[in-house]
Amino acid sequence: MIGSFKLWPTKINQEFGEKEVSILTAHYEPVLEAANVHVDELDTEWSMLKSEIYARFQNIRTLTWDFVNSVYLHKYPNILTLVDLLLTLPSSSAETGRGFSHMQRTKSQMHAKIKADGMTDLLIIQLNSPDINNFDPRKAIHLWNRRTPSSTGDTRPNSDCSSNSESHYESD
């Protein structure tokens, strides 16, 4: 709840987020300490930041953490580091599950002979690419056909085939 201003109460509530900050602090204490966060100051900074936000801004639900960071990072560095950590965590394990599923499928298709670097490259492409059913190849075809022979190292003149295939898509 504390990670989204849209879920904050419209009026200040001193208890809002206190329990969440305590739980997060206890859970991520080793990570926070490794990032030079003074965990003993998190509760105090949370109360002060929250009070200052409610006093300064009328419509809290339109705020973003990027903006709050830019205004208050120098004053409340510890709590804002905790919030940054919170905002970088995936909200569910679904994305991780999809990644493992892609890896298993890719590995079985490659007969388990693929090396770690190759697997990483393939997974990055698969996880960041649009669904094949939504892919429109025309832009790629246009770019391919517009290549000049000198840019590809090909010294042969453009064939009729490439110019014909380009003309099929010029009306798009």
Side-chain angles (χ1 to χ4, degrees), residues 121-160:
D121 293 343
L122 285 170
L123 285 173
I124 288 171
I125 292 167
Q126 287 179 346
L127 292 171
N128 293 310
S129 297
D131 186 305
I132 193 69
N133 295 324
N134 298 330
F135 180 69
D136 182 2
R138 288 179 283 200
K139 183 177 179 183
I141 292 168
H142 282 303
L143 288 171
W144 179 266
N145 287 331
R146 287 188 190 151
R147 294 182 324 163
T148 61
S150 61
S151 71
T152 63
D154 186 359
T155 56
R156 295 175 291 155
N158 284 341
S159 69
D160 291 336

Short mmCIF file of all heavy atoms in Angstrom, two decimals, residues 121-160:
data_model
loop_
_atom_site.label_atom_id
_atom_site.label_comp_id
_atom_site.label_asym_id
_atom_site.label_seq_id
_atom_site.Cartn_x
_atom_site.Cartn_y
_atom_site.Cartn_z
N ASP A 121 21.13 -14.92 -23.88
CA ASP A 121 20.77 -14.11 -25.05
C ASP A 121 19.39 -14.50 -25.59
O ASP A 121 18.56 -13.63 -25.88
CB ASP A 121 21.82 -14.25 -26.15
CG ASP A 121 23.15 -13.65 -25.76
OD1 ASP A 121 23.20 -12.85 -24.79
OD2 ASP A 121 24.16 -13.98 -26.42
N LEU A 122 19.15 -15.79 -25.72
CA LEU A 122 17.85 -16.25 -26.23
C LEU A 122 16.71 -15.88 -25.30
O LEU A 122 15.63 -15.46 -25.74
CB LEU A 122 17.87 -17.76 -26.45
CG LEU A 122 18.65 -18.24 -27.67
CD1 LEU A 122 18.79 -19.75 -27.64
CD2 LEU A 122 17.97 -17.79 -28.96
N LEU A 123 16.91 -16.00 -24.00
CA LEU A 123 15.86 -15.65 -23.04
C LEU A 123 15.55 -14.16 -23.06
O LEU A 123 14.39 -13.76 -22.99
CB LEU A 123 16.24 -16.09 -21.63
CG LEU A 123 16.14 -17.59 -21.38
CD1 LEU A 123 16.70 -17.93 -20.01
CD2 LEU A 123 14.71 -18.06 -21.50
N ILE A 124 16.57 -13.33 -23.18
CA ILE A 124 16.35 -11.89 -23.26
C ILE A 124 15.50 -11.56 -24.48
O ILE A 124 14.55 -10.78 -24.40
CB ILE A 124 17.69 -11.12 -23.28
CG1 ILE A 124 18.35 -11.19 -21.90
CG2 ILE A 124 17.49 -9.67 -23.71
CD1 ILE A 124 19.76 -10.67 -21.87
N ILE A 125 15.82 -12.18 -25.60
CA ILE A 125 15.04 -11.95 -26.82
C ILE A 125 13.61 -12.43 -26.64
O ILE A 125 12.65 -11.73 -26.95
CB ILE A 125 15.71 -12.64 -28.03
CG1 ILE A 125 17.03 -11.94 -28.36
CG2 ILE A 125 14.77 -12.64 -29.23
CD1 ILE A 125 17.91 -12.71 -29.33
N GLN A 126 13.44 -13.65 -26.12
CA GLN A 126 12.10 -14.21 -25.97
C GLN A 126 11.25 -13.43 -24.98
O GLN A 126 10.07 -13.18 -25.21
CB GLN A 126 12.17 -15.67 -25.53
CG GLN A 126 12.62 -16.59 -26.64
CD GLN A 126 12.71 -18.04 -26.17
OE1 GLN A 126 12.70 -18.33 -24.99
NE2 GLN A 126 12.84 -18.95 -27.14
N LEU A 127 11.83 -13.02 -23.86
CA LEU A 127 11.05 -12.34 -22.83
C LEU A 127 10.73 -10.89 -23.19
O LEU A 127 9.77 -10.32 -22.68
CB LEU A 127 11.78 -12.38 -21.49
CG LEU A 127 11.87 -13.77 -20.86
CD1 LEU A 127 12.79 -13.75 -19.65
CD2 LEU A 127 10.50 -14.30 -20.48
N ASN A 128 11.53 -10.30 -24.07
CA ASN A 128 11.31 -8.89 -24.43
C ASN A 128 10.70 -8.70 -25.81
O ASN A 128 10.50 -7.57 -26.25
CB ASN A 128 12.63 -8.12 -24.34
CG ASN A 128 13.10 -8.01 -22.92
OD1 ASN A 128 12.36 -7.64 -22.04
ND2 ASN A 128 14.36 -8.38 -22.68
N SER A 129 10.42 -9.77 -26.50
CA SER A 129 9.86 -9.68 -27.85
C SER A 129 8.35 -9.73 -27.80
O SER A 129 7.77 -10.36 -26.91
CB SER A 129 10.37 -10.83 -28.72
OG SER A 129 11.76 -10.74 -28.87
N PRO A 130 7.69 -9.11 -28.77
CA PRO A 130 6.23 -9.20 -28.81
C PRO A 130 5.80 -10.62 -29.18
O PRO A 130 6.57 -11.39 -29.75
CB PRO A 130 5.84 -8.21 -29.91
CG PRO A 130 7.05 -8.08 -30.76
CD PRO A 130 8.24 -8.30 -29.86
N ASP A 131 4.58 -10.92 -28.87
CA ASP A 131 4.02 -12.22 -29.22
C ASP A 131 4.07 -12.37 -30.74
O ASP A 131 3.77 -11.43 -31.48
CB ASP A 131 2.56 -12.28 -28.73
CG ASP A 131 1.94 -13.65 -28.93
OD1 ASP A 131 1.96 -14.13 -30.08
OD2 ASP A 131 1.43 -14.20 -27.96
N ILE A 132 4.44 -13.52 -31.22
CA ILE A 132 4.58 -13.76 -32.67
C ILE A 132 3.27 -13.51 -33.40
O ILE A 132 3.26 -13.07 -34.55
CB ILE A 132 5.13 -15.18 -32.95
CG1 ILE A 132 5.57 -15.31 -34.41
CG2 ILE A 132 4.11 -16.24 -32.61
CD1 ILE A 132 6.76 -14.51 -34.78
N ASN A 133 2.15 -13.74 -32.74
CA ASN A 133 0.85 -13.49 -33.37
C ASN A 133 0.60 -12.00 -33.60
O ASN A 133 -0.21 -11.63 -34.45
CB ASN A 133 -0.28 -14.08 -32.52
CG ASN A 133 -0.18 -15.58 -32.44
OD1 ASN A 133 0.20 -16.24 -33.40
ND2 ASN A 133 -0.52 -16.14 -31.29
N ASN A 134 1.30 -11.14 -32.86
CA ASN A 134 1.13 -9.70 -33.01
C ASN A 134 2.26 -9.06 -33.83
O ASN A 134 2.29 -7.85 -33.99
CB ASN A 134 1.08 -9.03 -31.63
CG ASN A 134 -0.08 -9.51 -30.82
OD1 ASN A 134 -1.12 -9.88 -31.34
ND2 ASN A 134 0.09 -9.54 -29.51
N PHE A 135 3.19 -9.87 -34.30
CA PHE A 135 4.34 -9.33 -35.02
C PHE A 135 4.00 -9.07 -36.48
O PHE A 135 3.47 -9.93 -37.17
CB PHE A 135 5.52 -10.31 -34.94
CG PHE A 135 6.74 -9.83 -35.67
CD1 PHE A 135 7.47 -8.76 -35.20
CD2 PHE A 135 7.15 -10.45 -36.84
CE1 PHE A 135 8.59 -8.31 -35.87
CE2 PHE A 135 8.28 -10.01 -37.52
CZ PHE A 135 8.99 -8.94 -37.03
N ASP A 136 4.31 -7.86 -36.93
CA ASP A 136 4.10 -7.49 -38.33
C ASP A 136 5.49 -7.38 -38.98
O ASP A 136 6.25 -6.48 -38.66
CB ASP A 136 3.37 -6.15 -38.42
CG ASP A 136 3.08 -5.74 -39.86
OD1 ASP A 136 3.41 -6.50 -40.79
OD2 ASP A 136 2.51 -4.65 -40.03
N PRO A 137 5.85 -8.29 -39.87
CA PRO A 137 7.21 -8.32 -40.42
C PRO A 137 7.49 -7.25 -41.47
O PRO A 137 8.62 -7.10 -41.90
CB PRO A 137 7.30 -9.71 -41.04
CG PRO A 137 5.90 -10.00 -41.45
CD PRO A 137 5.04 -9.38 -40.38
N ARG A 138 6.49 -6.49 -41.90
CA ARG A 138 6.69 -5.56 -43.02
C ARG A 138 7.78 -4.52 -42.75
O ARG A 138 8.58 -4.22 -43.63
CB ARG A 138 5.38 -4.88 -43.38
CG ARG A 138 4.42 -5.86 -44.08
CD ARG A 138 3.15 -5.20 -44.41
NE ARG A 138 2.39 -5.11 -43.17
CZ ARG A 138 1.10 -4.95 -43.10
NH1 ARG A 138 0.39 -4.81 -44.19
NH2 ARG A 138 0.48 -4.91 -41.94
N LYS A 139 7.85 -3.99 -41.54
CA LYS A 139 8.88 -3.00 -41.24
C LYS A 139 10.28 -3.62 -41.39
O LYS A 139 11.18 -3.02 -41.98
CB LYS A 139 8.70 -2.44 -39.84
CG LYS A 139 9.69 -1.36 -39.50
CD LYS A 139 9.42 -0.76 -38.12
CE LYS A 139 10.45 0.30 -37.81
NZ LYS A 139 10.28 0.84 -36.46
N ALA A 140 10.45 -4.83 -40.88
CA ALA A 140 11.74 -5.51 -41.00
C ALA A 140 12.08 -5.79 -42.46
O ALA A 140 13.22 -5.65 -42.89
CB ALA A 140 11.73 -6.81 -40.19
N ILE A 141 11.08 -6.17 -43.23
CA ILE A 141 11.30 -6.45 -44.65
C ILE A 141 11.70 -5.17 -45.38
O ILE A 141 12.64 -5.17 -46.19
CB ILE A 141 10.04 -7.07 -45.29
CG1 ILE A 141 9.82 -8.47 -44.72
CG2 ILE A 141 10.15 -7.12 -46.81
CD1 ILE A 141 8.48 -9.08 -45.05
N HIS A 142 11.03 -4.05 -45.06
CA HIS A 142 11.39 -2.77 -45.67
C HIS A 142 12.84 -2.42 -45.34
O HIS A 142 13.61 -2.02 -46.23
CB HIS A 142 10.49 -1.64 -45.16
CG HIS A 142 9.14 -1.60 -45.79
ND1 HIS A 142 8.93 -1.50 -47.14
CD2 HIS A 142 7.90 -1.65 -45.21
CE1 HIS A 142 7.64 -1.48 -47.38
NE2 HIS A 142 6.98 -1.58 -46.23
N LEU A 143 13.23 -2.55 -44.08
CA LEU A 143 14.60 -2.22 -43.68
C LEU A 143 15.59 -3.13 -44.39
O LEU A 143 16.64 -2.69 -44.85
CB LEU A 143 14.75 -2.35 -42.17
CG LEU A 143 14.07 -1.26 -41.34
CD1 LEU A 143 14.12 -1.60 -39.86
CD2 LEU A 143 14.73 0.08 -41.60
N TRP A 144 15.28 -4.40 -44.49
CA TRP A 144 16.16 -5.35 -45.16
C TRP A 144 16.33 -4.98 -46.63
O TRP A 144 17.44 -4.98 -47.16
CB TRP A 144 15.60 -6.75 -45.02
CG TRP A 144 16.44 -7.79 -45.69
CD1 TRP A 144 16.31 -8.28 -46.95
CD2 TRP A 144 17.58 -8.44 -45.13
NE1 TRP A 144 17.28 -9.20 -47.22
CE2 TRP A 144 18.08 -9.33 -46.10
CE3 TRP A 144 18.21 -8.38 -43.90
CZ2 TRP A 144 19.18 -10.12 -45.89
CZ3 TRP A 144 19.31 -9.18 -43.69
CH2 TRP A 144 19.79 -10.04 -44.66
N ASN A 145 15.25 -4.66 -47.29
CA ASN A 145 15.30 -4.36 -48.72
C ASN A 145 15.94 -3.02 -49.03
O ASN A 145 16.41 -2.80 -50.13
CB ASN A 145 13.89 -4.42 -49.32
CG ASN A 145 13.40 -5.84 -49.45
OD1 ASN A 145 14.18 -6.77 -49.61
ND2 ASN A 145 12.10 -6.02 -49.35
N ARG A 146 15.95 -2.11 -48.08
CA ARG A 146 16.56 -0.79 -48.31
C ARG A 146 18.06 -0.78 -48.12
O ARG A 146 18.71 0.23 -48.40
CB ARG A 146 15.93 0.22 -47.36
CG ARG A 146 14.54 0.56 -47.77
CD ARG A 146 14.02 1.70 -46.95
NE ARG A 146 12.60 1.83 -47.21
CZ ARG A 146 11.72 2.29 -46.36
NH1 ARG A 146 12.11 2.70 -45.19
NH2 ARG A 146 10.46 2.36 -46.68
N ARG A 147 18.60 -1.85 -47.61
CA ARG A 147 20.05 -1.89 -47.41
C ARG A 147 20.75 -1.68 -48.74
O ARG A 147 20.35 -2.23 -49.75
CB ARG A 147 20.50 -3.23 -46.84
CG ARG A 147 19.98 -3.47 -45.45
CD ARG A 147 20.48 -4.77 -44.91
NE ARG A 147 20.56 -5.79 -45.94
CZ ARG A 147 21.25 -6.92 -45.84
NH1 ARG A 147 21.91 -7.17 -44.74
NH2 ARG A 147 21.27 -7.80 -46.80
N THR A 148 21.79 -0.90 -48.72
CA THR A 148 22.57 -0.70 -49.94
C THR A 148 23.62 -1.79 -50.03
O THR A 148 24.07 -2.31 -49.01
CB THR A 148 23.27 0.67 -49.93
OG1 THR A 148 24.16 0.70 -48.81
CG2 THR A 148 22.27 1.80 -49.86
N PRO A 149 24.01 -2.15 -51.25
CA PRO A 149 25.02 -3.21 -51.38
C PRO A 149 26.31 -2.87 -50.64
O PRO A 149 26.92 -3.74 -50.06
CB PRO A 149 25.28 -3.28 -52.89
CG PRO A 149 24.03 -2.75 -53.51
CD PRO A 149 23.50 -1.72 -52.54
N SER A 150 26.70 -1.59 -50.58
CA SER A 150 27.96 -1.24 -49.92
C SER A 150 27.86 -1.42 -48.41
O SER A 150 28.83 -1.72 -47.75
CB SER A 150 28.36 0.19 -50.26
OG SER A 150 27.37 1.08 -49.79
N SER A 151 26.67 -1.23 -47.84
CA SER A 151 26.54 -1.39 -46.38
C SER A 151 26.57 -2.85 -45.96
O SER A 151 26.83 -3.16 -44.81
CB SER A 151 25.25 -0.74 -45.87
OG SER A 151 24.13 -1.48 -46.28
N THR A 152 26.31 -3.74 -46.86
CA THR A 152 26.31 -5.16 -46.52
C THR A 152 27.58 -5.86 -46.98
O THR A 152 27.76 -7.03 -46.73
CB THR A 152 25.10 -5.88 -47.16
OG1 THR A 152 25.22 -5.78 -48.58
CG2 THR A 152 23.80 -5.30 -46.67
N GLY A 153 28.44 -5.14 -47.67
CA GLY A 153 29.64 -5.77 -48.22
C GLY A 153 29.36 -6.51 -49.51
O GLY A 153 30.23 -7.11 -50.10
N ASP A 154 28.13 -6.44 -49.98
CA ASP A 154 27.72 -7.12 -51.21
C ASP A 154 27.99 -6.17 -52.37
O ASP A 154 27.48 -5.06 -52.41
CB ASP A 154 26.23 -7.46 -51.13
CG ASP A 154 25.75 -8.29 -52.30
OD1 ASP A 154 26.58 -8.59 -53.19
OD2 ASP A 154 24.57 -8.64 -52.32
N THR A 155 28.78 -6.60 -53.32
CA THR A 155 29.10 -5.75 -54.46
C THR A 155 28.24 -6.05 -55.67
O THR A 155 28.36 -5.40 -56.69
CB THR A 155 30.59 -5.91 -54.83
OG1 THR A 155 30.86 -7.29 -55.08
CG2 THR A 155 31.47 -5.39 -53.70
N ARG A 156 27.37 -7.05 -55.55
CA ARG A 156 26.49 -7.38 -56.66
C ARG A 156 25.41 -6.30 -56.79
O ARG A 156 24.99 -5.73 -55.79
CB ARG A 156 25.81 -8.73 -56.44
CG ARG A 156 26.79 -9.89 -56.42
CD ARG A 156 26.09 -11.17 -56.09
NE ARG A 156 25.67 -11.10 -54.68
CZ ARG A 156 24.66 -11.79 -54.18
NH1 ARG A 156 23.96 -12.60 -54.92
NH2 ARG A 156 24.35 -11.69 -52.92
N PRO A 157 24.93 -6.04 -57.99
CA PRO A 157 23.84 -5.08 -58.12
C PRO A 157 22.58 -5.65 -57.48
O PRO A 157 22.43 -6.86 -57.35
CB PRO A 157 23.66 -4.91 -59.63
CG PRO A 157 24.38 -6.06 -60.26
CD PRO A 157 25.38 -6.58 -59.26
N ASN A 158 21.68 -4.74 -57.06
CA ASN A 158 20.41 -5.19 -56.48
C ASN A 158 19.69 -6.05 -57.50
O ASN A 158 19.57 -5.70 -58.67
CB ASN A 158 19.51 -4.01 -56.12
CG ASN A 158 19.98 -3.32 -54.86
OD1 ASN A 158 20.72 -3.90 -54.08
ND2 ASN A 158 19.57 -2.09 -54.69
N SER A 159 19.18 -7.18 -57.06
CA SER A 159 18.46 -8.07 -57.97
C SER A 159 17.03 -7.61 -58.14
O SER A 159 16.51 -6.86 -57.34
CB SER A 159 18.49 -9.49 -57.41
OG SER A 159 17.68 -9.56 -56.26
N ASP A 160 16.43 -8.07 -59.20
CA ASP A 160 15.01 -7.74 -59.43
C ASP A 160 14.16 -8.26 -58.30
O ASP A 160 13.14 -7.68 -57.95
CB ASP A 160 14.55 -8.33 -60.76
CG ASP A 160 15.18 -7.63 -61.94
OD1 ASP A 160 15.59 -6.46 -61.78
OD2 ASP A 160 15.25 -8.25 -63.01
#
